Amino acid sequence: MKKIRIAVLCSGGGTNLQAILDAEAEGRIPDGEVVLVVSDSREAYAVERAKKRGVPTAIFAKREMPRAERERAMLEALHESEVDLVVLAGFMTVLSFGFVKAYEGRIVNIHPALLPSFGGVGMYGIHVHEAVLAAGVKVTGATVHYVTEVCDGGPIIAQKAVEVREDDTPETLQQRVMREAEWVIYPAAIQKVCKKLQGE
Ligand code: GAR
């Protein structure tokens, strides 16, 4: 069976990308291979992580191109690399309807909370954990979902709950959500989606 060709889109540190690359190297994503890492920032450490593993990279910097042009260039790069599945890993740009349509049912995202709580426009990165602490909830977590035109609203693929502690700061909570949930469920969910796409 042909492996599903994966592009990972990042904007920052890339710890989820690292978890995916490690899982692939350890044989935990047997039905997929990361063939391209795309960044919308030249400063993203994710690009270094990809280079260290010999994965091709492409940068379409937010600061240098308007969104329409950037998305056109990204789609061209994805087509050139014959990408089957687009994985958003800390990608901090909301994709347009046209982009989502071009890869309908083939874009997944990880969100650092239990959707549908603490999602939507403006809820990204550390802001999510700040909102969780402000609300006083005792349980948070992470969600892997398909990307649709509704921000953080697509069908859920996997979730894992994480305890919120009395003495948590947004930063300690973010670290625990990543370690206990994100880095665990994302590679497993990607393998599940690859298996499903192989059957289509
Ligand atoms: C992760 O916590 C990810 O869930 C979140 O940004 C962080 C990126 O970290 N994504 C979002 O908030 C998307 N709305 P990473 O670059 O180290 O993977």
Side-chain angles (χ1 to χ4, degrees):
M1 193 73 91
K2 177 188 166 287
K3 284 193 188 210
I4 297 299
R5 295 173 66 80
I6 301 168
V8 184
L9 276 50
C10 306
S11 302
T15 63
N16 277 287
L17 167 69
Q18 191 67 55
I20 295 162
L21 293 174
D22 290 349
E24 188 190 342
E26 290 162 14
R28 286 184 281 122
I29 310 182
D31 297 312
E33 55 180 331
V34 178
V35 297
L36 182 67
V37 169
V38 171
S39 170
D40 63 2
S41 151
R42 293 200 178 274
E43 289 79 46
Y45 186 64
V47 174
E48 298 310 313
R49 294 181 190 271
K51 283 185 180 161
K52 275 186 194 158
R53 285 293 171 92
V55 179
T57 57
I59 300 175
F60 304 103
K62 253 180 173 172
R63 291 202 196 128
E64 297 163 22
M65 289 183 226
R67 187 172 88 163
E69 192 185 322
R70 200 154 25 100
E71 286 199 344
R72 244 192 327 272
M74 278 200 296
L75 280 175
E76 217 172 278
L78 297 179
H79 289 146
E80 254 171 40
S81 298
E82 294 175 30
V83 167
D84 304 303
L85 174 65
V86 177
V87 168
L88 309 186
F91 189 64
M92 299 307 186
T93 307
V94 177
L95 296 168
S96 74
F97 179 69
F99 191 103
V100 172
K101 205 75 192 145
Y103 272 88
E104 200 168 17
R106 288 167 177 266
I107 312 178
V108 296
N109 179 45
I110 189 151
H111 185 78
L114 294 175
L115 292 174
S117 293
F118 305 106
V121 177
M123 281 287 185
Y124 59 89
I126 200 75
H127 304 303
V128 177
H129 306 289
E130 285 165 359
V132 162
L133 291 178
V137 296
K138 302 302 174 205
V139 175
T140 183
T143 304
V144 180
H145 64 94
Y146 286 104
V147 172
T148 64
E149 68 280 7
V150 182
C151 180
D152 294 331
I156 291 170
I157 302 163
Q159 284 186 309
K160 191 165 191 279
V162 172
E163 175 201 7
V164 179
R165 296 192 188 147
E166 291 289 329
D167 59 350
D168 264 330
T169 62
E171 290 74 20
T172 61
L173 185 56
Q174 180 178 48
Q175 275 308 308
R176 188 171 333 102
V177 168
M178 283 180 158
R179 207 177 44 244
E180 291 183 10
E182 297 191 45
W183 303 338
V184 180
I185 64 171
Y186 213 7
I190 289 165
Q191 165 54 21
K192 195 170 140 186
V193 172
C194 287
K195 189 113 219 139
K196 179 176 164 283
L197 290 176
Q198 279 180 334
E200 284 178 0

